[in-house]
Amino acid sequence: MGASTSESAWVSDADDHLWVEEQLGRIAEIPFRAAFRSATGRPIVIELAPFDRKGTPQSNWFWLVDRSLVAAVSRLESHGGVRQAGASVSREALDLANTSYRSGRPALAHMQGRGVGGARAGVKCLHAHVAFYLAGGFTPVGVWATWRLYQSDRELLEGLLLGATSSR
């Protein structure tokens, strides 16, 4: 872990850890904690430590882990969602969202000039915006994508989000 980050702050309970690894289909190599939970209490979004256990900086801050939500966002992206989101949100609002995202990782020099999902400009990844939005971050792209998901996958979103809680 990085010198300024205590690994103890990133310990998830065994149940969360197993569930997240099942959702990811792999071992979670970066320490994390739940940032947003479903109505059933399962992590939907995790917050990643700024450094992995070897001390390597991590540019991803929040990560969607619920497979059904990840698949729904992927469908939105495959239907032109990234382009549509970029056209629907003003540059000024996107700049504010990227500044907000960067402010959460001030110690990481490699994040300078990059925003949500590692984007240098525009919209790069709806998954990152939805994760940041659900975790309580400011991103109009996350709002836009969540609304579009609600329109196309209402039952999924209601099942996951009605009664959901922020863990931050």
Side-chain angles (χ1 to χ4, degrees), residues 5-133:
T5 305
S6 166
E7 188 166 353
S8 64
W10 298 96
V11 175
S12 57
D13 72 33
D15 235 18
D16 282 353
H17 201 82
L18 288 173
W19 192 84
V20 166
E21 288 184 345
E22 178 183 306
Q23 294 299 296
L24 295 174
R26 61 178 168 77
I27 294 172
E29 299 192 16
I30 303 168
F32 69 87
R33 58 185 168 215
F36 188 79
R37 294 179 180 275
S38 71
T40 62
R42 294 291 190 192
I44 293 175
V45 177
I46 57 174
E47 181 180 6
L48 300 171
F51 298 89
D52 69 13
R53 288 181 176 87
K54 295 177 184 176
T56 305
Q58 301 302 306
S59 58
N60 290 314
W61 187 7
F62 296 98
W63 197 263
L64 287 180
V65 294
D66 181 87
R67 283 184 182 174
S68 58
L69 185 55
V70 169
V73 175
S74 294
R75 284 190 298 276
L76 180 58
E77 283 188 346
S78 73
H79 290 99
V82 171
R83 181 184 42 75
Q84 293 168 19
S88 298
V89 174
S90 75
R91 178 175 172 83
E92 294 80 10
L94 186 56
D95 287 347
L96 285 172
N98 287 328
T99 298
S100 173
Y101 188 84
R102 280 191 302 275
S103 72
R105 297 288 205 206
L108 300 182
H110 71 281
M111 283 297 294
Q112 298 307 313
R114 293 185 184 216
V116 181
R120 291 188 185 277
V123 179
K124 181 177 175 184
C125 174
L126 296 182
H127 296 83
H129 281 276
V130 171
F132 186 46
Y133 171 64

